Amino acid sequence: MAAISQAAYRRASSVICRLHSTYVRKMRYLNELKEDDSFCRQAQTSGTFYLFHNLSPFLQKAGMKYLVPQLSAAEMKRILEKFEETGQWIENSVLIGCSDEHVPHFALDLGWDDSSSVCAQSLLQWHNSHQYCSKTGQPTQKNVAGSKRVCLASGITYYPQMSPVVISLVSDGSRCLLARQPSFPQGMFTALSGFCDLGENVEETVRREVAEEVGLEVKSLRYSASQHWPFPSSCLMFGCHVLVGAQQAEISMNTRELEEARWFGLEEIVEGLKRDHRSSKQDNGSFLPWFPPKQAIAHQLICEWVKQQTSQLA
């Protein structure tokens, strides 16, 4: 018995050690970077950097794709020195410019879904909009890691925040409801979404948003998954499936927020998932419906609905 217990203990200890050498160790290392300025300065001499310019990723062309380059400390120093000397970027990097309203689609088209670069984008936006203390009006100073800002006059510490957002795929049992805003690319439809109000929980926000935007009353809802979304500011999106009564499914669209909202059947959804913005335009200039790409949580919700409908028909 002693030998068996000892062997089990060794196996358990081995598992714990492996965990501590991977995820736990990484999380504690990142936490130390954020909290210890001297430790962070030391890490900068051997770290890897993402390059941004004017709050946008400085992209590198690789064949038919654009990537967010990861640079060593030595490479970063060389590029910055060259830029200070000549005022021009070097290598084959190019900056892709676009308006704020098109940034999400631009990022998805490029496959820019790396969590580190998305985190960097959000952090840069937060620093850009929180340079002054809301109580004293005095400038705030960031720490070395950029994980917080401090007002020296009041002693207040500011940390990056995320805004909670719900995104809801509404169904009446056999159809799903998708909508578009005027700022969307031509032909693109997606699930309903909106920010949580103060004092609301996710369920209350879902019911309110569905009522406000399309005039329907939620019968039941089910949480699916969440996704961080850095546009236009740092958001945490809660994806939900929503069921409304089939007998009370007449849409009353809020034209202040939406340009179009309508029901889609299973066949039309399946066909729409095969398209993107490049293949949706027809010869007469009109656009067939297409949906957000796979990196977006709306795409996941739509695919889950298709899978559910297909299993019910099987």
Side-chain angles (χ1 to χ4, degrees):
M1 287 293 293
I4 294 174
S5 299
Q6 200 171 32
Y9 175 79
R10 284 199 297 270
R11 285 196 298 271
S13 299
S14 177
V15 170
I16 293 172
C17 287
R18 286 199 300 273
L19 286 174
H20 276 271
S21 66
T22 53
Y23 180 77
V24 172
R25 186 176 179 182
K26 178 182 177 181
M27 291 303 104
R28 289 182 173 175
Y29 175 79
L30 292 176
N31 185 65
E32 194 167 2
L33 284 177
K34 290 190 291 185
E35 299 300 328
D36 189 329
D37 286 352
S38 60
F39 184 76
C40 186
R41 288 192 184 93
Q42 182 181 358
Q44 286 178 349
T45 61
S46 59
T48 301
F49 297 84
Y50 286 105
L51 189 59
F52 283 72
H53 179 59
N54 288 340
L55 303 184
S56 296
F58 200 70
L59 301 175
Q60 188 174 47
K61 190 171 184 179
M64 298 298 292
K65 297 182 179 180
Y66 291 93
L67 306 174
V68 181
Q70 298 184 47
L71 306 172
S72 68
E75 291 170 327
M76 188 70 179
K77 182 179 179 181
R78 182 170 63 92
I79 287 178
L80 292 177
E81 288 176 348
K82 186 70 174 181
F83 178 71
E84 289 177 357
E85 178 184 339
T86 66
Q88 296 179 341
W89 296 103
I90 60 174
E91 308 300 337
N92 61 334
S93 296
V94 293
L95 181 64
I96 304 299
C98 58
S99 63
D100 290 343
E101 66 184 49
H102 293 126
V103 167
H105 314 296
F106 146 79
L108 290 173
D109 290 343
L110 296 176
W112 181 44
D113 57 350
D114 179 84
S115 60
S116 296
S117 58
V118 168
C119 178
Q121 173 84 6
S122 298
L123 197 58
L124 284 174
Q125 289 177 341
W126 178 78
H127 279 294
N128 189 54
S129 59
H130 288 77
Q131 297 182 24
Y132 296 90
C133 176
S134 60
K135 183 176 181 180
T136 66
Q138 296 298 309
T140 57
Q141 295 185 6
K142 69 179 182 65
N143 63 338
V144 177
S147 60
K148 57 188 175 183
R149 300 188 71 90
V150 178
C151 174
L152 299 182
S154 65
I156 297 175
T157 300
Y158 293 91
Y159 294 94
Q161 296 179 336
M162 291 193 296
S163 301
V165 175
V166 297
I167 179 164
S168 309
L169 185 64
V170 178
S171 173
D172 68 352
S174 60
R175 304 173 297 175
C176 71
L177 188 154
L178 299 174
R180 55 175 284 105
Q181 297 177 1
S183 61
F184 285 5
Q186 289 291 324
M188 194 191 88
F189 284 79
T190 188
L192 303 178
S193 63
F195 287 90
C196 295
D197 276 349
L198 288 175
E200 283 186 333
N201 58 34
V202 170
E203 293 82 2
E204 290 168 337
T205 304
V206 169
R207 295 179 189 278
R208 175 181 55 78
E209 284 291 336
V210 173
E212 285 180 355
E213 296 191 359
V214 293
L216 298 176
E217 190 169 338
V218 173
K219 185 178 179 181
S220 63
L221 63 91
R222 174 174 57 86
Y223 170 78
S224 172
S226 63
Q227 179 185 34
H228 175 248
W229 194 242
F231 313 106
S233 57
S234 189
C235 302
L236 180 60
M237 305 186 76
F238 296 90
C240 297
H241 289 280
V242 172
L243 183 65
V244 298
Q247 306 303 318
Q248 300 172 325
E250 183 178 350
I251 297 172
S252 175
M253 189 180 71
N254 183 344
T255 56
R256 289 185 177 182
E257 296 193 29
L258 302 177
E259 181 180 77
E260 187 177 357
R262 67 183 182 89
W263 293 103
F264 289 79
L266 177 60
E267 185 176 344
E268 193 174 9
I269 288 291
V270 171
E271 289 301 314
L273 286 171
K274 299 175 184 178
R275 303 187 197 103
D276 58 23
H277 68 282
R278 291 178 290 267
S279 61
S280 67
K281 188 174 183 179
Q282 301 183 94
D283 293 337
N284 62 4
S286 63
F287 290 81
L288 293 170
W290 58 280
F291 312 129
K294 62 182 181 179
Q295 294 93 336
I297 193 171
H299 183 94
Q300 177 181 326
L301 292 172
I302 293 170
C303 288
E304 289 173 349
W305 182 84
V306 169
K307 184 177 180 180
Q308 181 187 37
Q309 294 295 309
T310 303
S311 64
Q312 289 177 356
L313 294 174

